Amino acid sequence: LRIIEYPLRYKLHLALVYTCLTGATLLALAVPKVLGWTIDSALENGDRTELIYLAILVLVISIARGALAYGQSYLSEFTSQKVAYDIRHDFLARLQGLSFGFHDGQKTGDLMSRATADVESIRWFVNFGLVHSINIVLLILGASVLLLVTDWELALIGLAAVPISAYIAIRMSRKFRRLWAKVQSETGHMTTILQENLSGMRVVKSFGAEDFEKDKFRAAAQSVATGTFRINRVHAANSSFLSLLFTLFTALVVWYGGWKIINGTDLTAGELTGFVLYQGLLVMPVRMSGWMVNTFAR
């Protein structure tokens, strides 16, 4: 909540970000529906004029969605950079107001790490976590409602993967939090070694301790690299598993939906196509939720 106070200083920019985000999300939800109409139109009456109009409509929606997505990306990046600037400024002002006793007990490298790597993590949280978390909610809710309206039986099959994915995301968030805490601590240690080495370069060269200092820094850098690699490996495995999970449930939807069409139910080929496309839309926010958990934890 203390972090959120910073982007709230730029209410107009945030409002524009969320406006663009909402518009782009609604247009993304409209595309599968229009494509479903196009397929049904082609199968039922073969009217080429109607097909052309529907194809133009898809193109217009895609262009408008691209423009809104660009606006959202630009404005969220602008806001996050402003937040990073404000935090660094407040951080330095805070340090200058602290006592000699505080500074005597702190390592310069740790403080430098706070002002660089840690602030960058906060910037990512503002740019992606704070913004795209709303996008995830809108996509999941919008796609879920449209799936239920189209065919509630198919929707129950397709949406069964969502609570499973949510459980996995919650479980992984605790693991990511521990891993990122360790990496950030090791990053501060590495920065401290570098700062001490550079500030004491005359002493290092005088005693011929270059190799010793290089080995010490190499060990610290390796710890940071190993920890970060481990986090990315866990994230990649988690993301791949979620994609596989949704692919399996999509296969079930295609099988059951095809069976319903063959048996002459009210479900049409266009509706089934739209259904599968909405399933595809759900994959992105669910995969993003895993990445979002990583961003929040960091």
Side-chain angles (χ1 to χ4, degrees), residues 20 23-24 27-28 57-71:
C20 291
L27 291 175
L57 179 59
V58 171
L59 179 62
V60 171
I61 291 174
S62 299
I63 293 173
R65 180 189 174 192
L68 289 171
Y70 170 78

Side-chain angles (χ1 to χ4, degrees), residues 5 34 66 90 100 106 110 129 136 156 172 174 190 212 214 227 231 245 250-251 253 257 277:
E5 290 176 4
V34 176
D90 291 350
F100 286 113
Q106 294 292 320
D110 280 335
I136 289 173
L156 291 180
M172 295 305 296
R174 298 169 183 171
M190 179 188 69
F212 173 78
K214 282 192 293 184
I231 293 171
L245 183 67
T250 301
V253 166
L277 292 174

Side-chain angles (χ1 to χ4, degrees), residues 20 59 127 130 271 278:
C20 291
L59 179 62
N127 194 353
L130 199 61
E271 287 176 337
Y278 282 124

Side-chain angles (χ1 to χ4, degrees), residues 157-168 238-252 279 283 286-287:
I157 297 174
L159 295 175
V162 174
I164 299 174
S165 303
Y167 168 75
I168 294 173
N238 183 48
S239 181
S240 298
F241 176 76
L242 291 177
S243 295
L244 175 62
L245 183 67
F246 265 84
T247 301
L248 293 175
F249 277 94
T250 301
L252 288 175
Q279 278 286 110
V283 173
V286 169
R287 288 190 64 181

Side-chain angles (χ1 to χ4, degrees), residues 144-203:
S144 300
V145 170
L146 290 169
L147 289 175
L148 289 167
V149 169
T150 302
D151 190 299
W152 68 270
E153 292 178 332
L154 279 179
L156 291 180
I157 297 174
L159 295 175
V162 174
I164 299 174
S165 303
Y167 168 75
I168 294 173
I170 293 171
R171 190 186 66 182
M172 295 305 296
S173 67
R174 298 169 183 171
K175 186 171 186 178
F176 279 133
R177 190 181 182 94
R178 292 194 303 269
L179 292 174
W180 275 120
K182 185 177 179 182
V183 167
Q184 286 178 240
S185 175
E186 290 172 346
T187 301
H189 177 60
M190 179 188 69
T191 310
T192 296
I193 293 175
L194 179 62
Q195 182 269 329
E196 291 174 349
N197 184 283
L198 294 176
S199 61
M201 187 60 70
R202 288 179 178 273
V203 178

